[in-house]
Amino acid sequence: MASTAAGKQRIPKVAKVKNKAPAEVQITAEQLLREAKERELELLPPPPKQKITDAEELNDYKLKKRKGFEDNIRKNRTVISNWIKYAQWEESLKEVQRARSIYERALDVDHRNITLWLKYAEMEMKNRQVNHARNIWDRAITILPRVNQFWYKYTYMEEMLGNIAGCRQVFERWMEWEPEEQAWHSYINFELRYKEVDKSRSIYENFVMVHPEVKNWIKYAHFEEKHGYIARARKVFERAVEFYGEEHVNENLYVAFSRFEEKQKEFERVRIIYKYALDRVPKQQAQELFKNYTVFEKRFGDRRGIEDVIVSKRRFQYEEEVKASPHNYDAWFDYLRLVESDTDADTVREVYERAIANTPPIQEKRHWRRYIYLWINYALYEELEVKDPERTRQVYQACLELIPHKKFTFAKIWLLYAQFEIRQKNLQNARRGLGTAIGKCPKNKLFKGYIELELQLREFDRCRKLYEKYLEFSPENCTTWIKFAELETILGDTERARAIFELAIGQPRLDMPEVLWKSYIDFEIEQEEYENTRGLYKRLLQRTQHVKVWISFGQFELSIDSDDRIQRCRQIFEEANKSMQGCEEKEERLMLLESWRDFEDEFGSLANKERVQKLLPEKVKKRRKITAEDGSDAGWEEYYDYIFPEDAANQPNLKLLAMAKMWKKQQQQEDEDEEEQEEEEEQQVPQGKEAQENSEPIEQGSAAHREEPGKEYDDRDDESSSSDSESDGEDDKDKTEETKADTEKL
């Protein structure tokens, strides 16, 4: 029941805001703060100034201030600023002992506070309490030895007091902690201020071991150079080079070393240092080294030295490039070109061996095209530059063994090898190599090269055998048939050449049959076998009805020196025109007729010219639909068509076109007549009005009697004229519809 009663307790109602409209004046928090600042509500008035007149008031003031400081410390002991303010206030009253006591109490609270130690020591130094200050600095550097500020202040105090031995002792204690570089430099500068060069040298010795950086070794060498110890400076540089070795070389060390030697006029040593460094420093880190070497050679070297710098720089770049990408053959080509121009044969061979060792990873010809030229250049270098034929032969043989001939081959390598053997007067090896190539991987280029070689050697029987092998390998190659026949023609065996041509045109598949037929025809024309030539033309026309064959046939007949050559040529053109009447290629037929017209213009009579002129087609513009690739309608396009008078199928269309043209002319003539008639009527109307005004008045009855029949006559005329015009309009409409239908058919 109690829980039920508690659950039924009423929730207090929330006051409802009746007017939810925004206030007329809006006040923001920023405005409130600004008004408070302007009115200075939170500022308290300064306390009144108090003048102390006697010792009792002073004691009361001190007691009050000390009580306030102590209360602040008691509230929060860790706030070091309260301790420092308290101690500084006691110091201002010359209460050094009290201030010292406050600092000691503060150090008990936080002995790692750097500011507290500094303020404490500065107070003792300010009050000339030297021993106390030394005691404080000793305690500080013992507790916090890594705080360099304590050491700097301590050494500065001892030096200012003239305690040089004590200052040196502090520096020695500091150096045992191996501080940062600036601390060592401070110690060195301290010894140099008192002319202690030997001690500075010993400090440098420890310094470069603790901080073994290149710049520190360079500073050490410059220190020795500055004080006139040139041999010691050179020794420092040499020790630095040995210290870093070849694993951690740095260009700045070598640049500084070379500049030092340059100042000493040791130019050969400078050149040796630069070359030694360039052989060991990586390319990315040697930019400054190359730059300085180039400047040095320009200043003190000769032309050869400058070229050596440039070559070494480029060689270094190529080395880095081929290391990064061993299969970048273009980089190898550039590198080898550079090496060949400057170094000895052994170095060049070494680079070539490194280059050809990077075989393409995939056995595809497109990956081997650039690589194979490394072998070619290698062989040519051995043959032409080194003059070592035996090594050249080994290079060619190694290359031919490396190429996977079952997948692909390079005819260039085989031919270069054969040409090399011929230059060495070893014809047997050259033939053996080319025979192996044709046996392993026959190619058109190999056959052509081998045949060319035998032709140069005037071995025609071998050429015949090679042509036979070549045609067995590639019977569709028309060029081979033509070259074989030309060879027999040159040798004077025309029957053999004719037989070769006959075999060639009898092949079922040829790559360029038109070239072969033309060569055969030219061959027969050269032999002046005109009947054979006519027979060839007729055989060719049985295979193809190409217009160029007909034109060539006609020109051939025209070129023969005979009495009936013009009649023969005209007969060929007539036959060609008849055979091409059903040809769909109207441009070819037009070409034939134009050639015939040119022939008649030169050799024919007027009747023949008119006859051929009548055969020429009419050029007509037409329209046709365009269909896109997806089958949709792409619109219309205009094109030109040729209509030949001889085509019977085109005669109705020609008649219809002529009728359409006549109808159009007739319409234009009628429009012109109507315009002239209207102009005449406009001129006659004003003359009729003037005549009516000048005439005498007539009686109304008689006038009416006279006008009525005329009116009826005029009405009848209007009716008849309207009916006639309607019938004429219908006839014209029928005619126009007929002409439109005819034009659509066209």
Side-chain angles (χ1 to χ4, degrees):
M1 293 293 290
S3 61
T4 307
K8 290 182 179 180
Q9 287 180 358
R10 291 183 180 180
I11 300 171
K13 293 182 178 179
V14 180
K16 293 183 179 179
V17 180
K18 294 181 179 179
N19 186 8
K20 296 184 179 180
E24 295 181 359
V25 180
Q26 296 291 321
I27 301 174
T28 62
E30 182 182 359
Q31 186 176 354
L32 293 173
L33 292 172
R34 187 166 57 252
E35 289 180 358
K37 177 67 176 174
E38 290 173 355
R39 297 178 184 179
E40 295 182 351
L41 298 176
E42 296 181 359
L43 294 179
L44 297 175
K49 292 184 180 180
Q50 185 179 3
K51 292 185 178 180
I52 299 172
T53 57
D54 55 2
E56 187 175 354
E57 289 182 1
L58 179 60
N59 292 331
D60 291 340
Y61 168 72
K62 289 179 180 180
L63 182 61
K64 184 179 179 181
K65 290 289 288 182
R66 285 180 181 132
K67 188 175 183 302
F69 282 123
E70 291 292 342
D71 290 340
N72 289 335
I73 290 169
R74 197 177 302 110
K75 288 176 185 177
N76 195 345
R77 290 171 58 83
T78 58
V79 180
I80 302 302
S81 59
N82 292 335
W83 293 97
I84 293 173
K85 289 177 183 177
Y86 190 9
Q88 288 177 345
W89 181 77
E90 292 289 358
E91 183 187 359
S92 65
L93 297 177
K94 305 298 181 182
E95 295 285 348
V96 179
Q97 191 62 35
R98 282 181 172 274
R100 190 178 292 126
S101 175
I102 293 165
Y103 276 122
E104 291 294 339
R105 289 168 59 195
L107 288 173
D108 290 339
V109 174
D110 186 6
H111 66 279
R112 303 188 68 82
N113 192 294
I114 298 171
T115 307
L116 193 59
W117 286 104
L118 292 174
K119 294 292 184 182
Y120 191 7
E122 286 175 1
M123 182 200 73
E124 296 291 359
M125 290 191 294
K126 197 181 296 181
N127 291 286
R128 299 183 182 279
Q129 301 293 325
V130 177
N131 290 328
H132 281 286
R134 283 197 182 109
N135 187 18
I136 292 165
W137 288 127
D138 283 332
R139 290 166 61 193
I141 62 177
T142 304
I143 295 172
L144 301 172
R146 294 296 179 187
V147 180
N148 294 328
Q149 197 171 3
F150 294 161
W151 295 99
Y152 284 121
K153 294 272 188 181
Y154 194 5
T155 54
Y156 180 73
M157 183 191 77
E158 294 292 354
E159 188 175 2
M160 289 296 103
L161 293 173
N163 187 11
I164 307 304
C167 183
R168 186 175 290 113
Q169 187 177 3
V170 174
F171 269 120
E172 290 293 339
R173 289 173 60 190
W174 190 8
M175 296 305 113
E176 290 176 1
W177 289 98
E178 297 182 357
E180 61 183 12
E181 295 178 7
Q182 187 58 41
W184 292 90
H185 291 309
S186 299
Y187 189 13
I188 292 167
N189 293 333
F190 163 75
E191 295 292 357
L192 289 176
R193 281 197 292 272
Y194 298 100
K195 312 298 182 185
E196 296 289 345
V197 179
D198 293 334
K199 289 185 178 180
S200 300
R201 186 178 294 115
S202 63
I203 297 167
Y204 263 120
E205 289 288 341
N206 295 328
F207 175 39
V208 295
M209 293 298 142
V210 174
H211 296 281
E213 296 178 8
V214 172
K215 61 179 182 178
N216 297 331
W217 283 96
I218 294 172
K219 287 178 182 178
Y220 185 14
H222 288 169
F223 160 77
E224 297 288 1
E225 182 186 3
K226 182 180 178 181
H227 291 87
Y229 299 101
I230 304 301
R232 287 179 177 274
R234 186 176 289 116
K235 188 67 176 175
V236 170
F237 277 119
E238 292 173 357
R239 284 175 57 199
V241 171
E242 293 176 2
F243 178 79
Y244 288 107
E246 296 185 2
E247 296 179 357
H248 304 283
V249 290
N250 190 292
E251 65 168 349
N252 294 327
L253 177 62
Y254 292 104
V255 170
F257 194 5
S258 59
R259 285 178 179 173
F260 163 75
E261 295 292 355
E262 187 178 336
K263 289 179 184 177
Q264 310 307 320
K265 310 296 182 183
E266 296 286 347
F267 300 129
E268 286 301 321
R269 292 177 66 90
V270 175
R271 195 170 284 110
I272 292 170
I273 292 167
Y274 276 125
K275 290 181 179 179
Y276 177 84
L278 289 173
D279 291 339
R280 286 161 178 79
V281 179
K283 174 199 166 186
Q284 296 84 359
Q285 305 172 8
Q287 299 299 325
E288 191 68 23
L289 195 64
F290 278 118
K291 182 179 176 182
N292 284 277
Y293 189 18
T294 307
V295 172
F296 166 75
E297 288 292 350
K298 287 180 180 179
R299 290 177 60 190
F300 304 105
D302 53 1
R303 182 177 178 181
R304 179 63 181 172
I306 297 170
E307 289 177 355
D308 288 342
V309 175
I310 297 169
V311 168
S312 60
K313 181 178 180 180
R314 290 175 58 194
R315 183 178 178 184
F316 204 77
Q317 293 172 352
Y318 288 135
E319 278 289 347
E320 294 296 323
E321 193 171 349
V322 297
K323 282 181 183 177
S325 178
H327 292 92
N328 184 4
Y329 300 120
D330 291 329
W332 282 109
F333 288 134
D334 296 336
Y335 187 18
L336 288 163
R337 197 178 301 115
L338 175 69
V339 171
E340 286 179 14
S341 64
D342 190 64
T343 54
D344 56 345
D346 292 335
T347 308
V348 176
R349 282 186 185 130
E350 181 186 353
V351 178
Y352 266 118
E353 292 293 337
R354 288 171 54 199
I356 61 179
N358 298 299
T359 311
I362 304 172
Q363 288 190 354
E364 292 182 10
K365 191 167 184 177
R366 60 191 181 91
H367 295 289
W368 285 65
R369 291 187 187 277
R370 298 294 292 162
Y371 169 72
I372 210 68
Y373 277 96
L374 288 172
W375 287 95
I376 294 172
N377 292 345
Y378 190 10
L380 293 176
Y381 173 77
E382 291 289 351
E383 182 185 1
L384 302 176
E385 300 295 333
V386 187
K387 312 290 185 185
D388 190 348
E390 188 59 36
R391 193 172 180 86
T392 307
R393 187 176 289 108
Q394 292 175 4
V395 171
Y396 276 121
Q397 290 174 356
C399 177
L400 292 172
E401 289 175 2
L402 183 66
I403 298 171
H405 299 291
K406 291 183 179 179
K407 295 185 177 180
F408 58 86
T409 189
F410 292 94
K412 184 185 288 291
I413 289 288
W414 291 102
L415 294 174
L416 286 172
Y417 177 45
Q419 291 166 5
F420 160 73
E421 292 292 357
I422 290 171
R423 285 195 294 273
Q424 303 303 318
K425 299 179 181 180
N426 196 343
L427 184 59
Q428 192 66 26
N429 282 351
R431 284 174 174 158
R432 187 183 297 114
L434 289 173
T436 305
I438 292 172
K440 279 187 176 180
C441 44
K443 286 183 69 176
N444 291 334
K445 196 172 181 181
L446 280 172
F447 279 108
K448 289 177 183 177
Y450 199 178
I451 291 168
E452 184 67 26
L453 174 64
E454 296 295 350
L455 278 175
Q456 291 175 358
L457 297 172
R458 301 295 186 266
E459 294 286 346
F460 300 116
D461 291 335
R462 287 181 177 273
C463 289
R464 287 192 178 105
K465 290 180 182 179
L466 287 172
Y467 270 122
E468 291 171 4
K469 294 288 185 183
Y470 193 2
L471 292 172
E472 288 177 7
F473 167 69
S474 177
E476 71 279 357
N477 194 336
C478 292
T479 308
T480 309
W481 289 102
I482 294 167
K483 293 288 185 184
F484 194 8
E486 286 178 357
L487 173 65
E488 297 296 346
T489 306
I490 292 168
L491 296 175
D493 197 345
T494 55
E495 291 300 325
R496 192 180 178 92
R498 188 175 287 111
I500 291 168
F501 274 122
E502 288 293 335
L503 282 173
I505 62 177
Q507 294 297 318
R509 188 165 60 91
L510 295 169
D511 55 358
M512 293 185 296
E514 66 280 359
V515 178
L516 181 63
W517 279 96
K518 186 178 182 304
S519 300
Y520 194 6
I521 291 168
D522 292 342
F523 164 75
E524 294 292 356
I525 292 172
E526 286 178 4
Q527 304 300 323
E528 298 182 357
E529 296 288 343
Y530 299 129
E531 290 299 326
N532 291 345
T533 308
R534 288 190 187 96
L536 283 175
Y537 270 117
K538 291 175 182 178
R539 288 165 64 188
L540 180 57
L541 287 170
Q542 290 175 1
R543 297 192 180 192
T544 178
Q545 291 289 324
H546 199 276
V547 64
K548 290 186 178 180
V549 179
W550 286 107
I551 294 171
S552 177
F553 194 8
Q555 291 174 352
F556 159 71
E557 292 291 353
L558 190 62
S559 64
I560 297 174
D561 189 9
S562 62
D563 297 334
D564 58 345
R565 63 191 183 99
I566 296 174
Q567 186 62 32
R568 282 179 177 274
C569 183
R570 186 176 290 114
Q571 184 179 356
I572 289 168
F573 277 120
E574 289 175 356
E575 291 178 4
N577 188 31
K578 288 179 183 178
S579 66
M580 295 188 71
Q581 281 183 359
C583 179
E584 295 181 357
E585 298 293 334
K586 296 183 178 182
E587 287 84 358
E588 294 186 359
R589 189 175 174 188
L590 176 62
M591 190 188 303
L592 176 70
L593 291 173
E594 287 176 350
S595 299
W596 192 2
R597 182 192 61 190
D598 295 339
F599 161 74
E600 295 293 351
D601 288 342
E602 187 174 355
F603 301 101
S605 61
L606 184 61
N608 289 329
K609 292 179 183 178
E610 291 177 355
R611 176 191 170 196
V612 176
Q613 193 68 32
K614 289 178 182 179
L615 294 175
L616 290 173
E618 184 178 1
K619 191 175 182 181
V620 180
K621 184 187 289 187
K622 291 186 178 181
R623 297 174 65 202
R624 61 187 172 197
K625 278 189 176 182
I626 304 173
T627 306
E629 293 181 357
D630 56 354
S632 61
D633 190 6
W636 294 79
E637 70 170 356
E638 291 185 350
Y639 70 99
Y640 288 99
D641 193 11
Y642 298 97
I643 299 174
F644 292 88
E646 293 180 346
D647 295 341
N650 291 332
Q651 291 299 327
N653 296 337
L654 288 173
K655 185 182 288 185
L656 186 60
L657 282 172
M659 290 171 62
K661 287 181 180 179
M662 290 175 63
W663 176 79
K664 189 174 181 182
K665 288 181 181 179
Q666 185 178 359
Q667 290 292 108
Q668 291 177 355
Q669 186 67 31
E670 288 177 0
D671 293 340
E672 291 176 358
D673 294 342
E674 288 178 1
E675 290 177 359
E676 291 177 359
Q677 188 175 0
E678 288 177 0
E679 290 177 358
E680 291 176 359
E681 289 176 358
E682 289 176 358
Q683 292 176 0
Q684 291 174 3
V685 167
Q687 295 175 1
K689 287 183 178 179
E690 291 175 359
Q692 188 176 0
E693 289 174 357
N694 295 330
S695 63
E696 293 180 357
I698 304 173
E699 293 180 0
Q700 293 180 357
S702 61
H705 181 72
R706 284 193 298 271
E707 286 173 1
E708 296 215 354
K711 186 177 181 183
E712 291 176 0
Y713 177 74
D714 293 338
D715 293 339
R716 284 196 303 272
D717 290 342
D718 292 338
E719 289 176 0
S720 63
S721 63
S722 64
S723 63
D724 291 339
S725 63
E726 287 177 0
S727 61
D728 292 338
E730 289 177 357
D731 293 339
D732 293 339
K733 189 175 181 181
D734 294 337
K735 287 180 181 179
T736 54
E737 289 178 355
E738 288 176 1
T739 53
K740 284 182 181 178
D742 293 336
T743 52
E744 287 179 357
K745 287 180 181 179
L746 279 175

